[in-house]
């Protein structure tokens, strides 16, 4: 939530900041702003240009010829204060010598603000952020780094900040506590951002700032120290993503591009962990046979789409490893007293690796068990640094707010984890394992076939786009797929969608059914398919319209459905990976037909770094 960028070097900072912000707009798009040391007018002043609304509004407000060698920028997802010009970042102190951008929430901002107001500071916005600028002003004599550290020692909450000072014109000061921040290293120039795609055009050498660290970034150097002034030496990591992976590549939306990328992404995940000789290779996860055998329980904790992946993972781990699995919303887990202990494995799943609730759940788990594992997409993100083990999903950058390829690669990672654990615990034999691995390696091709139905799904979407309420049904490991399908539709098309295990229908939800509420039902081949058919008949008997996700060539299923969304057939345990494809495409095309802003749905941000 909220994106931060910074640049210092010989190039014109302004277009670099704007371009960086365009790569971070997925983090929030309520307002945007930049601040820079203005060279164009000869004033040498710290200038702020900001606008309510999308980045494009800001871009058109920047006078031609604006140039600077140093600047910071921000794209906002509003927390404190409505989206407006005054609340847009960057924010000044009283003297206009310090300017600041912030991502996160300052929890004690009210008391700090009262104190600062009493001391004579004048505030211009309703944001929590502005208190940091004034606090820095309080401590600022001649060393901005000192003043930032002193100010942050008073601040409670989660934040990543970047600040400039008019008096120290050769540096950007950045700090983090709870919100991500990366530094991109160049030659005679350096970059700062909330996320890697913002700097990929210029560098792939990245330093990840850690909690309670401050960086002083000049054009030639980066000095990192802790809030307590301990010097930190950190080698940069060279990341493998490149700029084109984070570009739209001619597609109308990132979401469509990312849906269609899934076979390749999945291939990438599988090939990282399953070797051609049939062995598993886990660079960042070495649980060991003894630990695996002694495991009592697995807790899977995540939010949103990642939680749905975890719900499918439960079926696999219980089936292949014989270990009971609990799946929990991170936001709930962290505020109850979970009975997690030293012989339990805590698996946290997160595309971004930065989700505030998931991170808090990981920290809580780590207090009780040393067996913590992150399933994460973003390299070097906080969860990967705090979890004892990491399985990267290798999906490549996911920019669309609606998660798609992150989901299928999380599923693949969970499946591989289940098989690996099963092998370590001796619950899966060698022959069975080889068979599963072979079936797994066929998946990318099957996904390709599922995606080839794209046009038919587009047609079906046209017939369904006029309805305003939807029911999604599934059973067994396809129930989480129904949940995920409903979430996709809700978040990008703003239509009401509810998901239930089909067996629950009679316990209430069936009362909703009439000709105005279509049902999307997962009815592919499985040991519960007949039950599913019965549930669908019950809906049809009440004049409900049903679009069924069915296996190609399943004539019985075809007869029952009003619309058929076909996927190829494979082993039952692998079907969730295929069944989600028509759901994603259906949500995408319905949202497109309704003219929604698919990559930037209202009120949402991709990375939820606040509670
Ligand atoms: O980065 P994370 O996987 O931790 O994010 C969790 C959720 O915020 C995320 O999956 C969200 O539900 C998606 N935007 C849904 O498409």
């Amino acid at each position: 939530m909220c994106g931060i960028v910074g640049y210092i070097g010989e190039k014109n900072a302004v277009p670099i900041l704007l371009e960086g912000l365009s790569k971070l707009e997925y983090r929030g798009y309520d307002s945007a702003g930049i601040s820079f040391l203005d060279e164009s007018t000869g004033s040498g002043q710290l200038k702020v240009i900001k606008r309510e609304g999308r980045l494009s509004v800001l871009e058109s407000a920047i006078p031609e010829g604006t140039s600077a060698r140093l600047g910071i920028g921000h794209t906002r997802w509003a927390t404190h204060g409505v989206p407006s010009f005054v609340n847009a970042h960057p924010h000044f102190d009283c003297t206009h010598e310090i300017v600041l951008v912030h991502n996160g929430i300052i929890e004690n901002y009210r008391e700090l603000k009262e104190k600062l107001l009493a001391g004579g500071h004048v505030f211009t916005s309703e944001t929590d952020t502005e208190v940091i600028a004034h606090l820095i002003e309080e401590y600022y004599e001649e060393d901005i780094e000192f003043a930032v550290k002193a100010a942050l020692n008073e601040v409670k909450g989660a934040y990543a900040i970047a600040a400039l000072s008019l008096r120290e014109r050769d540096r950007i000061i950045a700090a983090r506590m709870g919100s991500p921040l990366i530094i991109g290293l160049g030659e005679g120039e350096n970059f700062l951002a909330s996320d890697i795609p913002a700097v990929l055009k210029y560098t792939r050498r990245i330093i990840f700032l850690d909690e309670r660290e401050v960086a002083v970034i000049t054009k030639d150097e980066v000095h990192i120290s802790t809030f307590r002034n301990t010097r930190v030496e950190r080698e940069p990591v060279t990341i493998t993503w490149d700029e084109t992976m984070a570009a739209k590549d001619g597609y109308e939306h990132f979401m469509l591009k990312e849906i269609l990328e899934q076979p390749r992404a999945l291939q990438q995940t599988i090939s990282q962990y399953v070797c051609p000789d049939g062995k598993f290779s886990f660079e960042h996860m070495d649980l060991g046979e003894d630990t695996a055998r002694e495991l009592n329980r697995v807790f899977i904790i995540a939010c949103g789409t990642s939680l749905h992946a975890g719900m499918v993972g439960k079926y696999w781990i219980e089936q292949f490893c014989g270990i009971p699995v609990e799946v929990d919303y991170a936001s709930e887990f962290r505020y109850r007293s979970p009975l997690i202990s030293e012989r339990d494995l805590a698996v946290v799943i997160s595309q971004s690796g930065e989700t505030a609730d998931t991170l808090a759940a990981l920290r809580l788990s780590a207090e009780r068990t040393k067996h913590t594992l992150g399933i994460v997409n973003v390299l070097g993100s906080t969860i990967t640094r705090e979890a004892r083990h990491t399985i990267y999903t290798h999906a490549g950058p996911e920019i669309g707010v609606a998660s798609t390829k992150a989901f299928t690669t999380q599923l693949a990672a969970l499946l591989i984890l289940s098989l690996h654990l099963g092998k370590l615990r001796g619950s899966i034999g060698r022959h069975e394992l080889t068979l599963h691995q072979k079936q797994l390696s066929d998946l990318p091709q099957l996904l390709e076939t599922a995606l080839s139905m794209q046009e038919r799904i587009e047609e079906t979407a046209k017939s369904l786009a006029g309805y305003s309420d939807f029911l999604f049904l599934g059973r067994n490991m396809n129930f989480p797929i129904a949940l995920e399908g409903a979430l996709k539709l809700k978040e990008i098309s703003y239509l009401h969608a509810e998901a239930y295990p089909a067996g629950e229908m009679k316990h209430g939800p069936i009362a909703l059914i009439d000709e105005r509420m279509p049902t999307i039902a997962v009815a592919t081949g499985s040991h519960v398919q007949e039950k599913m058919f019965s549930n669908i008949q019950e809906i049809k008997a009440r004049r409900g319209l049903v679009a069924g996700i069915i296996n190609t060539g399943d004539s019985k299923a075809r007869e029952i459905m009003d619309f058929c969304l076909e996927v190829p057939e494979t082993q039952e345990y692998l079907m969730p990976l295929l069944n989600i494809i028509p759901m994603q495409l259906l949500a995408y095309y319905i949202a497109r037909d309704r003219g929604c802003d698919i990559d930037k749905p209202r009120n949402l941000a991709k990375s939820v770094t606040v509670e």
Side-chain angles (χ1 to χ4, degrees):
M1 326 214 101
C2 299
I4 289 177
V5 290
Y7 173 79
I8 181 162
E10 293 301 329
K11 299 190 182 107
N12 184 359
V14 176
I16 295 175
L17 295 174
L18 292 174
E19 196 177 0
L21 288 179
S22 74
K23 298 288 190 301
L24 297 183
E25 234 191 335
Y26 71 84
R27 301 178 69 88
Y29 26 84
D30 289 331
S31 62
I34 56 172
S35 177
F36 50 90
L37 271 175
D38 190 13
E39 288 178 353
S40 33
T41 59
S43 69
Q45 291 302 300
L46 264 183
K47 187 144 187 181
V48 167
I49 305 180
K50 57 187 187 176
R51 288 293 179 273
E52 182 186 342
R54 299 282 161 100
L55 181 63
S56 52
V57 184
L58 172 70
E59 280 166 342
S60 42
I62 294 185
E64 207 147 308
T66 306
S67 78
R69 308 288 138 201
L70 163 73
I72 54 178
H74 188 266
T75 177
R76 180 168 187 244
W77 187 85
T79 58
H80 295 63
V82 294
S84 67
F85 174 81
V86 284
N87 290 333
H89 300 214
H91 291 287
F92 276 123
D93 69 328
C94 297
T95 64
H96 280 214
E97 285 191 345
I98 298 160
V99 74
L100 180 109
V101 290
H102 163 225
N103 165 28
I105 288 181
I106 307 305
E107 285 165 5
N108 59 340
Y109 87 99
R110 277 178 212 281
E111 56 197 83
L112 291 173
K113 190 168 178 177
E114 272 167 29
K115 202 171 92 181
L116 289 159
L117 283 169
H121 288 265
V122 177
F123 281 74
T124 56
S125 77
E126 302 156 285
T127 64
D128 52 343
T129 302
E130 201 184 340
V131 296
I132 314 178
H134 292 278
L135 257 187
I136 297 173
E137 179 190 351
E138 277 287 297
Y139 287 103
Y140 193 26
E141 284 173 6
E142 51 199 29
D143 182 352
I144 185 73
E145 182 186 358
F146 169 84
V148 165
K149 283 181 179 167
L152 293 182
N153 278 327
E154 289 196 34
V155 163
K156 290 196 189 111
Y159 50 83
I161 61 154
L164 302 179
S165 155
L166 188 58
R167 281 189 264 150
E168 293 172 70
R169 307 166 72 94
D170 64 340
R171 60 197 55 204
I172 301 172
I173 309 293
R176 76 160 274 179
M177 171 64 217
S179 299
L181 215 45
I182 60 114
I183 299 162
L185 302 183
E187 294 297 325
E189 60 182 355
N190 286 312
F191 305 81
L192 177 74
S194 299
D195 197 1
I196 299 167
V199 304
L200 275 181
K201 183 171 177 188
Y202 302 98
T203 182
R204 289 201 266 155
R205 292 201 309 135
I206 305 290
I207 292 180
F208 296 92
L209 211 59
D210 237 325
E211 299 293 58
R212 298 180 184 281
E213 286 180 354
V214 173
V216 179
I217 306 164
T218 63
K219 76 184 182 53
D220 298 310
E221 285 179 328
V222 174
H223 285 275
I224 303 176
S225 58
T226 64
F227 285 9
R228 296 181 170 211
N229 284 322
T230 308
R231 183 72 200 270
V232 176
E233 299 293 344
R234 179 154 317 128
E235 283 301 308
V237 176
T238 303
I239 59 137
T240 50
W241 293 359
D242 66 32
E243 198 204 347
T244 55
M245 291 166 91
K248 232 191 259 179
D249 235 0
Y251 287 93
E252 199 177 339
H253 298 102
F254 275 111
M255 183 179 177
L256 183 61
K257 174 182 178 244
E258 288 159 5
I259 290 174
L260 298 176
E261 268 172 6
Q262 289 179 103
R264 192 154 42 95
L266 204 71
Q267 180 61 52
Q268 184 69 13
T269 318
I270 296 168
S271 63
Q272 289 291 325
Y273 301 112
V274 184
C275 309
D277 63 3
K279 295 212 174 86
F280 291 105
S281 127
F282 287 106
E283 200 191 330
H284 304 282
M285 196 203 76
D286 180 18
L287 207 56
E289 215 169 284
D290 290 344
T291 306
R293 281 180 189 274
E294 280 168 18
L295 283 182
N296 230 344
R297 255 178 330 166
V298 176
F299 285 78
I300 300 182
I301 314 141
C303 303
T305 291
S306 299
L307 181 87
H308 299 152
M311 290 170 80
V312 180
K314 172 184 164 79
Y315 288 89
W316 288 330
I317 296 174
E318 291 185 343
Q319 175 177 341
F320 295 127
C321 315
I323 316 175
V325 180
E326 277 189 34
V327 187
D328 222 332
Y329 292 99
S331 54
E332 290 297 313
F333 180 90
R334 62 181 293 196
Y335 290 117
R336 63 182 173 92
S337 304
L339 297 174
I340 179 166
S341 60
E342 56 191 15
R343 282 180 53 200
D344 296 332
L345 169 67
V347 179
V348 294
I349 309 174
S350 175
Q351 187 286 130
S352 61
E354 303 290 350
T355 300
D357 283 323
T358 310
L359 191 55
L362 168 65
R363 287 174 181 160
L364 177 62
S365 306
E367 285 168 16
R368 302 176 187 193
T369 173
K370 62 178 189 217
H371 308 306
T372 58
L373 165 68
I375 296 183
V376 178
N377 190 36
V378 176
L379 191 92
S381 53
T382 310
I383 290 179
T384 68
R385 281 176 288 133
E386 296 200 14
R388 178 126 186 237
H389 309 283
T390 299
I391 298 182
Y392 281 110
T393 51
H394 296 285
E398 189 183 68
I399 311 291
V401 167
S403 228
T404 52
K405 62 176 180 170
F407 179 68
T408 37
T409 54
Q410 285 166 348
L411 289 181
L414 279 160
L415 183 51
I416 292 166
L417 171 69
S418 319
L419 296 175
H420 179 56
L421 272 182
K423 182 183 139 226
L424 292 177
R425 288 169 65 85
S427 50
I428 301 186
R430 186 189 295 243
H431 176 67
E432 194 190 341
L433 190 66
T434 316
L435 207 67
H436 288 312
Q437 286 177 344
K438 160 83 182 66
Q439 291 160 354
L440 195 60
S441 63
D442 291 340
L443 262 177
Q445 186 52 51
L446 290 168
L447 243 73
E448 205 75 74
T449 313
L451 286 165
S452 68
M453 301 292 166
Q454 192 182 346
E455 279 175 23
R456 279 225 226 133
I457 297 170
E458 191 175 354
E459 280 302 301
T460 310
K462 285 197 177 80
S463 310
L464 294 175
Y467 291 88
S468 48
D469 302 283
F470 289 79
L471 192 65
F472 283 70
L473 295 180
R475 276 179 176 259
N476 201 250
M477 55 181 76
N478 285 311
F479 164 53
I481 298 303
L483 284 169
E484 176 58 11
L487 175 60
K488 288 290 86 89
L489 187 64
K490 277 185 263 217
E491 67 179 329
I492 59 168
S493 69
Y494 320 141
L495 291 171
H496 168 227
E498 294 203 38
Y500 276 95
E504 274 293 296
M505 283 294 286
K506 287 196 215 47
H507 302 283
I510 200 160
L512 292 168
I513 297 295
D514 63 16
E515 65 282 3
R516 285 165 304 171
M517 188 176 205
T519 298
I520 317 295
V522 188
T524 45
S526 75
H527 69 289
V528 285
Q529 191 187 32
E530 284 299 334
K531 310 268 172 218
M532 201 62 212
F533 286 165
S534 305
N535 296 135
I536 291 168
Q537 296 290 14
E538 288 154 10
I539 293 169
K540 294 193 65 70
R542 286 155 183 86
R543 296 195 306 278
L545 204 63
V546 181
I549 294 170
I550 65 166
N551 289 124
T552 316
D554 185 340
S555 48
K556 188 168 176 197
R558 260 187 166 281
E559 270 173 34
I560 312 175
M561 309 298 173
D562 298 296
F563 301 98
C564 294
L565 309 167
E566 292 181 358
V567 290
E569 195 176 346
T570 182
Q571 285 69 33
E572 182 176 344
Y573 76 98
L574 294 173
M575 283 311 298
L577 283 129
L578 298 175
N579 291 338
I580 191 56
I581 301 292
M583 299 264 199
Q584 295 170 342
L585 286 167
L586 191 69
Y588 172 78
Y589 285 118
I590 290 179
R592 206 192 59 177
D593 282 348
R594 291 170 51 80
C596 298
D597 192 346
I598 292 178
D599 283 335
K600 298 188 189 92
R602 70 184 180 205
N603 306 339
L604 290 176
K606 180 128 190 96
S607 194
V608 185
T609 52
V610 294
E611 272 193 66

